[in-house]
Amino acid sequence: KQWYQRRVAITAGGSHDSGSYSIANGSKRTDELPNLGRCLNPLVERIGVIWSKTQHMTIKDQLEAGVRYLDLRVYKDNDDEQLYLVHGFEAGLFSNELLRIKNFVDSNPKEYIILDINHLYQFTFDDAVALMFELNDAFGTKLLPPREKGQAMYTFGEIVDLQKTVTVAITETEEVPYKKIVKEFPFLWSSEINIISPWANTTKPAKLKQFLIRTMSQDRPTYALHVTQSILTPKLSDTIKGIFVKPHNLLQLSEVLLPLFPQWIPELSQLGLNIIIIDFITQDLIQTLIDLNLRSCFEVEEGNDTSEADALLKK
């Protein structure tokens, strides 16, 4: 009952650049990377690959492990007219990843999934329309419309009762104005309005934590989801230094955060931790979030019976 009545202020695990797991040597570079000429481009690509991959698990494995927020960046390749997930380099075909997400949703009708398409590259408005038709064909009546300003966020009970367990958010670009596309597809959330996602843009864990505490302490609109970007972001100079000294790649940079998360997460949860996204998310970290939610949902006053919560946590 407690879970059913909770609003979507529960703590959900998310992955940063969710589709980048398949980036490898030989992946096609995109216009995100600087063009330094024929002589230097091979070096740029070799360095870029090891700093562009942010996940180990496939999207299918992420969902099965408990990830419920996917950070999706979609790129249209004008050479083959296909859509790809991207982070500096082309990763998997969007259509293939969408099928895997659809299969998970169909097999888990009570799981709430958020697809945040927060970057569109080389998209015209017609391209975005075609993408929305593809999403509508995949999820249909399961698509949950956004809340209006001033409205409270959905409860999980409402989501289950409505049988609308998929949120799709899209970023606004000059070619794809949100107000225009949402008229044709009213299920669309705005990545800028309905999802609040401040970015620290730092390589320092201490600065990251200060930023997270400061932004999470600010007033947040009730109709929006809040994403806590618990990630470290390298500068170009860091990637060049990485040729000679550690960290040599994004994984090594991110690993300094892993031992800090067990301490950070309970602290951040006191500020209303909603969605937390992480590079190279692990099963252990997801389990920490699940345990946090169970304790929160069965939180009782001192002296009451806690056996139900304790039993669930032991499973």
Short mmCIF file of all heavy atoms in Angstrom, two decimals, residues 30 41 290:
data_model
loop_
_atom_site.label_atom_id
_atom_site.label_comp_id
_atom_site.label_asym_id
_atom_site.label_seq_id
_atom_site.Cartn_x
_atom_site.Cartn_y
_atom_site.Cartn_z
N THR A 30 31.25 10.82 -35.05
CA THR A 30 30.19 11.76 -35.43
C THR A 30 30.74 13.18 -35.38
O THR A 30 31.90 13.41 -35.04
CB THR A 30 29.00 11.65 -34.47
OG1 THR A 30 29.38 12.19 -33.18
CG2 THR A 30 28.54 10.21 -34.30
N ASN A 41 43.22 12.93 -37.03
CA ASN A 41 41.92 12.32 -36.74
C ASN A 41 42.02 10.89 -36.20
O ASN A 41 41.27 10.52 -35.29
CB ASN A 41 41.02 12.35 -37.97
CG ASN A 41 40.30 13.68 -38.12
OD1 ASN A 41 40.25 14.48 -37.18
ND2 ASN A 41 39.74 13.94 -39.28
N ILE A 290 17.42 0.13 -4.39
CA ILE A 290 16.22 -0.67 -4.11
C ILE A 290 16.02 -0.80 -2.60
O ILE A 290 14.90 -0.64 -2.09
CB ILE A 290 16.33 -2.05 -4.78
CG1 ILE A 290 16.28 -1.90 -6.31
CG2 ILE A 290 15.21 -2.98 -4.30
CD1 ILE A 290 16.60 -3.18 -7.06
#
